[in-house]
Every structure is written in C-alpha cells, then in structure tokens.
Amino acid sequence: MKKAPFWFLLFLLASCGDSTTKQTTPDMKGKYAIAIHGGAGNLVKMNLTNEEQEAYKTALDSALTEGSKILANGGTSVDAVEATIRILEDCPLFNAGKGAVFTHDGHNELDAAIMNGENLECGAIAGVRHIKNPISLARRVMEKSEFILLQSEGAEEFAREQGIEWVDTSYFFTQHRWDQLQEAIEDDKTELDHSGKKKASTLSKPREEKFGTVGCVALDVHGNIAAGTSTGGLTNKRYGRVGDTPIIGSGTYADNTTCAVSCTGKGEDFIRLNVAHDIASMIRYAQVDLQSACDSVVMKKLKDIKGRGGCIAIDCVGNIAMPFTTTGMFRGSIDVNGEKKIALYEEK
Ligand code: ASP
C-alpha cells in the first residue's frame, strides 16, 4: 500500500477544508479534472455490438466534454457534476433519468445524491417517480432545504415548490428496460420451477448484471472537489427499495481534505461497507494515496464480501482512481493535464 507523499499531506493540511487558510499550490493554478461512470457490471464484450459500444463511448464523451467546459470556464465542481449527470440522465442508455430500470411492479423509482467537498454540504433524494433530472433535485435539497435526504412524495412535493422539472411517469418508459424486467421476472419463475421449492422471496434477488447508474466527480480551478450519483436502482427491485446512491458515505461522498467518490454496483454491498466514506477514511487515517485507498476498499474489502461494482474517485490535486470488481465499468476521465480516457472494460 502506497503512503501519500509528505508534500501531499502538507498540501491537504494547508489548503483544504478551511476556506480561511486555503491556498492553491502554484502548480495547481487553473487546473481541473473530471471523471464519470455509466455503471459497472459483469459485461461481456460480445454482448454489445460495436455500434452499441460506440454509442456508449460517444455518450460518455459528450457528457465528459460538457463537464470539462464548465470547469475550464472557472465553474464550480458542483456545477460541473450536476450538468454532467443531467446529460447522462437524459440519455436512455444509462440507468438514470430517462433510461431508469423498472421495479418489480413496473414503476421507475429514482435515487440521486450530490456532495460539495468544500463544506461537506450534501443533498439526496430517493424513490421519486416524476422528476426528470433527479440530480438537480438533490442539489436543491442541498442548497434550499435544511435536510439532507428526502424521499418519495415528500421529495416530490419539495420539487414542486422549487419549480423542478416534472414529467409524467410515461417519460421513463423504454422498451429495453421493460424487456429486462420481464426477463428478470421470468428468471425468477424458472428458478422456482427448477428448485421445486417455493422461494421465500424472489424480489430480493435482482438479475440485472449491468449496473447502469451514472456518476461524476470533479476538481475545479478553485481547488474544490464534488461528487454526484444518479440511478434507477436495480431491475426488479422491490418498490420502496433504496440503494447506496443517495446514502451519503455509501454511494456518494466528497470532502476536500480526502477525496470525492461516486459508486456503482449492487447497492446493498456498498451500504454494508460504507464504501465512499471508507475510501476517504483510508486517506485520512491510514494516510495512503487515492489509488491505494480505492484498492484497499474496492479491490479488497468489497471483493472479500463478493461485492459487485466499482467507483470513480478524485482528490484535491486531481489524482483519479476508477477501480471495479466486475469485468467492466463504463467510465471516462480528463486529468489535470487534459488527457482524456474513455473505457468500457478491464484494461489488460
Ligand atoms: N448502486 C445502484 C443501486 O444499488 C445500482 C447501480 O449502480 O446501477 O441502487
């Protein structure tokens, strides 16, 4: 495990967390970085045609490009995270907003969270059915309410008060997600026939192995980091089920003094380990660098409990880590030197 270099610890102490003492080190001036994910999963290359792979890459690329423009123009990391996630939410390829998966009883219930690493302010929403861009509602909860997590009708009533864009539930219908639900329900039935026994519950075993949640972490030119995540959850989930995404510290976390993290995968595994906050804690208490912290939490602890998924993470100097335990995670990043990366599968 790699200890963080001494200069980095000094930098964090001197520059992060306390706005009165904040200084930007000379070589960080004007620098920004951004990373996104479009979900992880046990993805087999052959299951996606070349055209489909290209479509995912193009969608990731355009979201990344828009987010980085905001940062290049001096926008905040919170602005970049929200805008980038809105683009991914509007794209039916991903399991968030327009492309959200269905619950067992045929609804779309959306969760989202955003966190500002500069001041630890955060907002989250769970189980909303009419909000076109859940990430914007999460931001509104962060900025315009005294609460952190609002759910279901309460969250939607707040959205109406705030003038957040509202859509009919039919907006979220996509044929491929509907078909995925039917397949999952069929799988459950088949399993029942084969075993010959009645299972206690088929609802707690979602079949989808591609987690299409979207997330973004960013470092702005002011030296602040932020994280956001948005999801439809798991195909065939029981209605009312809430995953890790809106649980601050599990699926989403940001703190200038450590890192910003957005996770994707089977939410229950991430909640159990409090993955996003645990990565931050490794940096704080074990004083390791970002990559080592991610490796120890995702590639070791999460793997040990057979957890499926991954995360994207960034720190105050623009280091980026994108570990995952699955065979793929749709992801992209632009680092502090402007180098862009987009990938879908494991890199050998
Ligand atoms: N983590 C999300 C959840 O469990 C699912 C995903 O990442 O696609 O709700």
Side-chain angles (χ1 to χ4, degrees), residues 286-301:
Q287 301 188 347
V288 297
D289 65 16
L290 184 77
Q291 187 65 55
S292 303
C294 285
D295 286 346
S296 99
V297 176
V298 175
M299 304 312 285
K300 174 87 183 80
K301 289 188 195 175

Side-chain angles (χ1 to χ4, degrees), residues 25-320:
T25 51
D27 58 349
M28 285 307 294
K29 245 197 159 74
K31 300 247 170 147
Y32 61 87
I34 184 168
I36 60 175
H37 70 74
N42 285 319
L43 310 160
V44 182
K45 264 187 204 169
M46 275 145 45
N47 283 353
L48 284 183
T49 62
N50 285 345
E51 290 71 43
E52 284 167 337
Q53 292 182 42
E54 280 317 305
Y56 276 107
K57 285 185 183 166
T58 306
L60 290 168
D61 195 2
S62 54
L64 203 52
T65 305
E66 285 310 308
S68 70
K69 271 190 208 157
I70 292 172
L71 296 168
N73 290 331
T76 68
S77 50
V78 170
D79 283 343
V81 164
E82 183 193 3
T84 305
I85 290 181
R86 282 179 67 99
I87 294 170
L88 296 168
E89 285 175 339
D90 290 345
C91 174
L93 291 174
F94 301 101
N95 171 19
K98 175 65 188 159
V101 298
F102 284 94
T103 61
H104 180 72
D105 58 352
H107 293 106
N108 307 97
E109 293 187 346
L110 314 173
D111 305 337
I114 193 163
M115 184 155 184
N116 184 347
E118 185 185 11
N119 49 23
L120 301 187
E121 282 177 5
C122 45
I125 49 114
V128 295
R129 293 183 174 186
H130 298 91
I131 306 303
K132 182 167 179 278
N133 293 107
I135 194 68
S136 295
L137 180 55
R139 182 172 182 178
R140 213 55 81 84
V141 172
M142 171 170 83
E143 291 176 348
K144 302 282 182 209
S145 87
E146 55 186 300
F147 308 109
I148 288 177
L149 173 56
L150 294 180
Q151 52 104 11
S152 312
E153 289 90 354
E156 296 200 327
E157 191 178 300
F158 176 72
R160 282 219 195 261
E161 286 164 19
Q162 292 291 318
I164 290 280
E165 190 169 357
W166 183 277
V167 287
D168 186 80
T169 52
S170 59
Y171 167 80
F172 297 107
F173 182 89
T174 55
Q175 193 61 48
H176 76 290
R177 294 301 186 198
W178 185 254
D179 295 345
Q180 281 173 353
L181 173 64
Q182 305 317 311
E183 275 164 36
I185 290 173
E186 269 314 302
D187 277 0
D188 278 345
K189 281 193 199 144
T190 314
E191 222 171 77
L192 191 75
D193 292 346
H194 285 167
S195 72
K197 284 190 240 147
K198 200 170 191 291
K199 286 195 293 179
S201 168
T202 55
L203 299 180
S204 59
K205 280 188 80 185
R207 296 281 175 254
E208 174 68 274
E209 271 302 312
K210 183 190 170 309
F211 305 106
T213 290
V214 304
C216 178
V217 294
L219 162 71
D220 64 31
V221 296
H222 317 288
N224 296 313
I225 53 177
T229 318
S230 181
T231 189
L234 302 178
T235 299
N236 200 22
K237 68 183 180 181
R238 194 179 182 111
Y239 89 90
R241 177 265 186 189
V242 176
D244 59 317
T245 296
I247 309 295
I248 299 299
S250 290
T252 310
Y253 192 71
D255 177 355
N256 274 7
T257 64
T258 52
C259 62
V261 183
S262 168
C263 301
T264 176
K266 183 155 180 271
E268 284 68 14
D269 300 334
F270 286 75
I271 293 173
R272 234 170 252 141
L273 295 178
N274 225 347
V275 166
H277 188 266
D278 200 33
I279 292 170
S281 296
M282 285 297 294
I283 296 174
R284 183 183 307 283
Y285 301 119
Q287 301 188 347
V288 297
D289 65 16
L290 184 77
Q291 187 65 55
S292 303
C294 285
D295 286 346
S296 99
V297 176
V298 175
M299 304 312 285
K300 174 87 183 80
K301 289 188 195 175
L302 187 67
K303 239 184 183 165
D304 284 352
I305 64 159
K306 301 196 173 17
R308 303 193 301 277
C311 76
I312 49 171
I314 199 166
D315 65 22
C316 254
V317 290
N319 291 308
I320 292 172

